[in-house]
Amino acid sequence: MKEAEFASANRWLLPDAVDEVLPPRAAALESLRRQVLDSCERWGYELVVPPVIEYLDSLLIGTGPDLDLQTFKLTDQLSGRLMGVRADMTPQAARIDAHQLQYAGPARLCYLGTVLNTRPEGPGRSRNPLQLGAELFGHAGVESDVEIIALMMDVLRIAGLPSPHLDIGHVGIFRALARDAGLDADTESRLFDCLQRKAAGEIGELLQAVPAGPARDRLAALADLNGSVDVLNQAGEQLAGAGEEVQTALRHLWALATAVERHVPDVTLHFDLAELRGYRFHTGVVFAAFVPGHGQEVARGGRYDRIGEVFGRSRPATGFSADLKTLAALGETGGERERRGILAPWGDASDLVTAIRELRANGERVVVQLPGQPVHPDELGCDRQLVEKDGAWQVAPL
Amino acid sequence: MTETLTIALSKGRILDDTLPLLAHAGVEPRDDPDSSRKLVLDTSEPGVQLVILRATDVPTYVEYGAADVGVAGKDVLLEHGGAGLYEPLDLGIARCRMMVAGYPGANAGRGKVRVATKFVNIARRYFAEQGRQVETVKLYGSMELAPIAGLADLIVDLVDTGNTLRANGLEPLEHVADISSRLIVNKAAMKMKHRRIKAFTERLADAVGVQAA
């Protein structure tokens, strides 16, 4: 079959990695959406609803080339400028904080909406995730990182993922070590690539080109600095000679580890100092949550202190985001929620109309049977019916 | 609940060379993978199982997390674009080189050349780094035939001894990369089954050291 024929015979097919949510999952997703937003509200996060498209300059400013490739673009007929369909709502939240709100103190914002990615962010991922996120602007200390992590874990708990593993890193350490070792941009980016793959052999070869010395040894040690909280002790020894920036980062991680254990019960902490997720965007702590049986992170975030600068107001910032559809799918308990409802006959007699209105007002689901069509109570999700008995409308078993 | 560990291997040379390393690390299959028709093999270590796949499928299984770790050739990883995987250990097995080959001098000419290969991504990247624009043709086997039959000017392929090339009047022209097999690890598994995977990696590294000595 020719491509054109295939496409016309299969108009109903969705593009690769684009998905939709059908009943009853859509209802479950919506219920999760409400619970999660209610929780964010209770933590003091204000909801923002940024537009799906805006000028590309504003969407991409200060974010690096990765996000550029992930963004669908179109030309604005009114201004002739390029617009982008958001691939990430974090820069939009930063723009709103810097330009629209201009709070004197810290701002807590949350958002939930569809973003589009030109390519899936990982194997099996959707290109139209339902991004949920929360950002805290205007505080640089470990306390705001702890709050964001605790909120993220609370969201995962609500989604039915009770004991996720939390992976924590700090991009400032690699940044400082690379600068101390005097790496040029090319070597730094190749080393970055090797570290992301923990390719020990290639890291060794690459560092051959760097003058021998403690700065090089410290970079070489980075690939192995991963594991439980003991890793921070190990890092303390192996990176002892590094500059103040690295020591500050390590102290930050210690404080974070201690506080997270107090604020999030039953959390399993894992540290990985070579984890540089979002390196070109983040400036400090980075973190991600993993759940057993899923090969990728389910939520992630970190500190990105400089992004507001380009919008004219540099503020420290930290936040997390997750795909709500992934959370809903992973948190599914298997057992389908039982649908309850009352099947009512169609009619315009005032006692019937009143009976239906009262049932609905009391929170009941009432589905009216349309005349002339066969009735499938299971399709309609009804387990009871409204019948006239002794001159009054009563609910009876189906 | 004991943590399980699923190891993905591919049939052929990688399997033959990996099994002695695994045995040294204390993991031996209960059935002979060559004669068994089972796709999932239990091992001498409780909770550790082997799955036997096609070589090109190993990174896919590990990236999705269907297997926790695997052994894959660097050629497969480069072609797959292994950004979503850890590759903490070079096992030093199944060594060969990836080369540009063709008739002597076939790579000297100017203008557009056509390159036949199984590794289109690697070929495109390699020639782009050289500042050369090439047209790639994806083939699944018998690369040597492509220049002979006039399908392509050059091929990019794995070269072991180079005998097949020379028997057909071709020769290796440019070195693209040194290839050997790597231990690859799913990123989430590395974090959630850290102790088990780190211990396993160390035992394998030990085995590699012994074999190299």
Side-chain angles (χ1 to χ4, degrees), chain A residues 157-372:
Chain A
R157 183 189 56 76
I158 291 168
L161 308 167
S163 52
H165 292 235
L166 183 64
D167 181 47
I168 302 177
H170 196 300
V171 298
I173 296 178
F174 172 71
R175 221 182 275 275
L177 290 179
R179 203 192 41 232
D180 291 350
L183 297 191
D184 56 77
D186 179 49
T187 316
E188 180 181 326
S189 104
R190 275 160 59 201
L191 185 61
F192 169 80
D193 173 58
C194 294
L195 275 173
Q196 285 304 82
R197 292 182 287 116
K198 298 201 189 305
E202 288 171 52
I203 293 170
E205 279 170 33
L206 205 57
L207 289 177
Q208 292 292 321
V210 178
R216 186 175 83 174
D217 296 344
R218 288 195 284 268
L219 267 179
L222 211 51
D224 264 330
L225 288 173
N226 55 76
S228 63
V229 72
D230 302 339
V231 161
L232 295 182
N233 280 322
Q234 211 181 317
E237 289 165 24
Q238 293 181 355
L239 307 179
E244 186 47 36
E245 205 173 320
V246 173
Q247 307 308 334
T248 310
L250 286 176
R251 278 197 298 275
H252 194 101
L253 287 177
W254 265 121
L256 187 65
T258 320
V260 166
E261 274 176 346
R262 286 208 193 113
H263 285 256
V264 188
D266 304 326
V267 69
T268 314
L269 288 184
H270 182 272
F271 288 84
D272 187 342
L273 301 192
E275 183 61 68
L276 303 169
R277 176 186 310 114
Y279 174 62
R280 289 172 185 90
F281 176 99
H282 286 109
T283 55
V285 165
V286 287
F287 49 82
F290 293 84
V291 295
H294 191 60
Q296 303 157 56
E297 73 260 13
V298 294
R300 65 180 182 193
R303 180 162 282 288
Y304 53 102
D305 284 347
R306 283 191 273 276
I307 196 172
E309 205 169 273
V310 288
F311 294 115
R313 191 180 186 207
S314 183
R315 291 238 280 178
T318 181
F320 84 92
S321 66
D323 173 19
L324 201 69
K325 285 191 290 186
T326 305
L327 299 188
L330 288 171
E332 243 174 35
T333 40
E336 236 176 62
R337 250 189 338 161
E338 202 193 340
R339 285 202 293 168
R340 290 172 58 80
I342 298 164
L343 191 63
W346 191 93
D348 40 20
S350 70
D351 56 340
L352 175 59
V353 172
T354 309
I356 291 176
R357 189 189 302 132
E358 278 172 3
L359 282 171
R360 284 182 178 149
N362 290 328
E364 285 284 0
R365 197 170 151 263
V366 183
V367 188
V368 173
Q369 191 179 327
L370 294 171

Side-chain angles (χ1 to χ4, degrees), chain B residues 6 9 30 36 63 74 77 83 91-92 101 116 123 141 147-148 155 164 170 172 175 180 191 196:
Chain B
T6 305
L9 299 174
R30 291 219 183 278
S36 173
E63 202 175 14
K74 187 68 190 170
L77 291 174
L91 297 173
I148 297 168
I155 61 173
T164 317
L170 308 174
H175 176 264
S180 59
K191 296 175 196 301
R196 182 150 206 173

Side-chain angles (χ1 to χ4, degrees), chain B residues 7-10 14 18 55 58 69-73 91 93 181-184:
Chain B
I7 307 173
L9 299 174
S10 58
I14 289 186
T18 308
V58 171
V69 302
V71 175
L91 297 173
I93 55 172
S181 295
R182 312 292 162 105
L183 177 72
I184 56 173

Side-chain angles (χ1 to χ4, degrees), chain B residues 43-97:
Chain B
T43 67
S44 53
E45 196 172 314
V48 176
Q49 54 182 20
L50 304 181
V51 290
I52 311 292
L53 313 169
R54 235 190 115 98
T56 43
D57 293 339
V58 171
T60 310
Y61 269 71
V62 177
E63 202 175 14
Y64 275 82
D68 300 304
V69 302
V71 175
K74 187 68 190 170
D75 52 331
V76 173
L77 291 174
L78 283 171
E79 183 66 18
H80 180 83
L85 298 161
Y86 292 135
E87 34 180 299
L89 186 62
D90 185 346
L91 297 173
I93 55 172
R95 282 186 187 281
C96 57
R97 290 164 301 156

